[in-house]
Amino acid sequence: FTQAEIEFFVKPTNKAHPKFKVVKDTQLQLFSSPKQLSAEPHVTMTIGEAVANGTVNNETLGYFIVRTFKFLTSIGIKAEHCRLRQHLPTEMAHYATDCWDAEIETCYGWLECVGIADRACFDLNAHSEATKVDLLYRETLDTPIETEVLQLTKAAGVATMKAFKKAGKGVKEWLEKLPEEQLKAIADEVKAGGKAQRIVDLPDGTTESCTFLPEHVVCETQKVKVSTTTFMPGVVEPSFGIDRILFATLEHSYYCRPKEADSEEKQTRGVLAFPAIIAPYKMTILPQDQRICRDEKYDEILGLIRKRVTALGHTCTVDDSNATLGKRYSRNDELGIPFACTVDFDSLKDDCVTLRERDSMAQVRLPVKEVGQIIHELCGCRKTWVDVCNAYPKV
């Protein structure tokens, strides 16, 4: 399977997100752990309410839950068939703060497609321990603070270097880099038992078993001015199952166009309603019939449209088969192509073409030279089809 992930690092003591206020009013279908355990259905609430009442642990997690939901709906997933389900206590990883799955309702039921997890500091702690690399983040304080720290005395450092000879410098540095609570634990153990045994990681990558005596761990408390603070970042990780998302998008996008009451047509007209932003082909170009194709003016119009559309980074096809225009519209609808550009006999005279939108089947008339830019703005969500209908005459 194919998977895509985001690793977003956060300060463990402050998981507010600067853009949360932009998404806080987004309505979501949330299936919390308590609701599942009490056999109740999911509920609809805003992400702002969910974070405020503790259903979702923090703003950063809530922000990525909304961004995941918006991504899924932007590619064609129906909002009413998409919910966020919280992991049950038996599913939650032991190190995780909170975990939610984006589930999409398909013909197979609710299908887990995205996992959004607050994995706390577990990942970086594991990496740091395995690679012996300091991954702590150093944050500059706005106002320096004065604090008391426990440190080795200079005499203890000298005694350590002498006692451990060639490894002495590395052992001394190891002691000096220990977190305060670990250094204090060694000192207390030596005070109680006269010595303490530890495995020391040396700078050259080797390890050495060291026995510390009272003169090696003499400590003193000093007042120091601190201008930076360090912490191990936590991580919020949205993880996307691309294959399942693609399957759900195909299923949610496909529908059969209703037949008109007086229609005698036997064939079902299927439509693959891909949003324009993800459709592989953005537009198909259709000559009204074969006589159009034989006109030199048609080649000029076709070349101008294709050149402009391609230059703007989009793809289009040409369907100049013998089938009727209606049948060509229908089969390109089923291929998921959102727009169709028809070149007719009037086009050869006035340099205008008809642009049809797949889902509404509405058509407008516009100049050939403007087709590429309009397609570009529609596919980039800068304009809607309603905007285009208001700007050009309908056919």
Side-chain angles (χ1 to χ4, degrees):
F1 61 93
T2 306
Q3 190 163 304
E5 293 183 348
I6 296 170
E7 305 289 330
F8 188 86
F9 297 102
V10 295
K11 187 175 182 178
T13 57
N14 180 15
K15 294 182 181 178
H17 195 286
K19 294 183 180 179
F20 183 73
K21 60 185 177 183
V22 179
V23 302
K24 67 181 179 68
D25 294 325
T26 305
Q27 294 267 352
L28 300 170
Q29 295 185 138
L30 299 178
F31 199 19
S32 65
S33 176
K35 291 289 183 185
Q36 296 170 63
L37 293 172
S38 58
E40 296 179 37
H42 58 251
V43 298
T44 300
M45 69 171 72
T46 67
I47 193 64
E49 293 171 332
V51 171
N53 65 28
T55 301
V56 174
N57 185 268
N58 57 76
E59 286 188 6
T60 298
L61 183 62
Y63 175 75
F64 279 100
I65 285 174
V66 172
R67 287 299 301 268
T68 297
F69 171 76
K70 287 183 176 291
F71 163 70
L72 293 174
T73 53
S74 75
I75 62 172
I77 301 301
K78 293 179 171 61
E80 63 271 24
H81 297 289
C82 181
R83 74 180 182 191
L84 284 304
R85 186 187 71 83
Q86 189 176 34
H87 281 202
L88 294 169
T90 52
E91 297 176 279
M92 193 86 72
H94 67 89
Y95 50 78
T97 302
D98 197 5
C99 294
W100 292 76
D101 290 336
E103 296 185 330
I104 301 171
E105 192 172 21
T106 70
C107 59
Y108 296 109
W110 288 99
L111 192 64
E112 173 195 338
C113 293
V114 186
I116 309 122
D118 184 340
R119 296 172 61 86
C121 305
F122 176 80
D123 293 318
L124 288 186
N125 279 330
H127 288 312
S128 181
E129 185 175 341
T131 60
K132 312 301 180 189
V133 175
D134 178 12
L135 296 177
L136 291 172
Y137 178 78
R138 284 159 179 81
E139 180 181 53
T140 302
L141 299 174
D142 294 332
T143 305
I145 58 173
E146 195 173 79
T147 185
E148 290 187 346
V149 295
L150 189 70
Q151 296 179 334
L152 281 181
T153 62
K154 289 184 179 180
V158 171
T160 299
M161 292 180 68
K162 286 181 179 179
F164 297 101
K165 299 179 182 179
K166 287 185 179 180
K169 184 179 179 182
V171 175
K172 173 178 171 286
E173 290 176 356
W174 180 83
L175 281 171
E176 290 174 338
K177 290 179 180 178
L178 281 178
E180 189 172 319
E181 62 273 12
Q182 293 184 30
L183 179 60
K184 186 175 184 303
I186 293 175
D188 290 344
E189 188 177 333
V190 171
K191 185 177 179 180
K195 63 180 180 179
Q197 191 84 17
R198 291 292 188 275
I199 301 297
V200 175
D201 297 314
L202 298 175
D204 62 3
T206 61
T207 59
E208 183 160 327
S209 178
C210 298
T211 301
F212 296 104
L213 302 176
E215 62 267 25
H216 303 149
V217 289
V218 178
C219 299
E220 60 184 358
T221 301
Q222 289 188 348
K223 285 188 176 182
V224 296
K225 188 170 283 188
V226 178
S227 59
T228 61
T229 184
T230 61
F231 59 86
M232 187 64 79
V235 65
V236 173
E237 180 190 80
S239 181
F240 299 78
I242 302 301
D243 307 88
R244 290 185 177 189
I245 292 172
L246 178 58
F247 163 73
T249 300
L250 289 168
E251 185 175 295
H252 280 222
S253 297
Y254 189 80
Y255 70 93
C256 294
R257 205 182 290 283
K259 293 181 181 179
E260 296 179 9
D262 56 348
S263 174
E264 296 181 2
E265 189 178 11
K266 295 181 180 180
Q267 187 175 358
T268 299
R269 293 189 295 164
V271 179
L272 195 55
F274 282 145
I277 196 169
I278 68 163
Y281 291 99
K282 310 302 183 186
M283 182 176 71
T284 183
I285 302 170
L286 311 173
Q288 189 174 24
D289 66 28
Q290 292 294 310
R291 290 171 294 172
I292 301 285
C293 297
R294 293 192 287 269
D295 195 296
E296 290 182 3
K297 182 70 173 179
Y298 168 72
D299 291 331
E300 181 185 326
I301 292 172
L302 178 63
L304 182 62
I305 294 173
R306 295 182 77 172
K307 182 179 178 181
R308 182 59 176 159
V309 170
T310 303
L312 290 169
H314 307 295
T315 51
C316 60
T317 65
V318 178
D319 187 347
D320 55 6
S321 64
N322 287 321
T324 65
L325 190 59
K327 286 184 178 178
R328 282 183 283 159
Y329 278 146
S330 184
R331 70 186 177 199
N332 283 286
D333 290 348
E334 198 162 18
L335 291 173
I337 301 175
F339 304 105
C341 176
T342 305
V343 182
D344 54 28
F345 288 102
D346 288 337
S347 303
L348 305 178
K349 302 173 186 175
D350 62 9
D351 284 329
C352 289
V353 292
T354 299
L355 188 65
R356 172 187 181 269
E357 196 265 340
R358 176 197 60 217
D359 299 323
S360 65
M361 297 190 292
Q363 302 182 42
V364 296
R365 192 80 175 169
L366 75 165
V368 169
K369 62 182 180 180
E370 296 180 24
V371 172
Q373 187 61 35
I374 289 297
I375 292 297
H376 182 60
E377 291 176 350
L378 286 168
C379 293
C381 301
R382 298 177 185 87
K383 279 188 177 179
T384 65
W385 182 248
V386 173
D387 297 329
V388 175
C389 288
N390 290 335
Y392 296 100
K394 295 181 181 179
V395 177

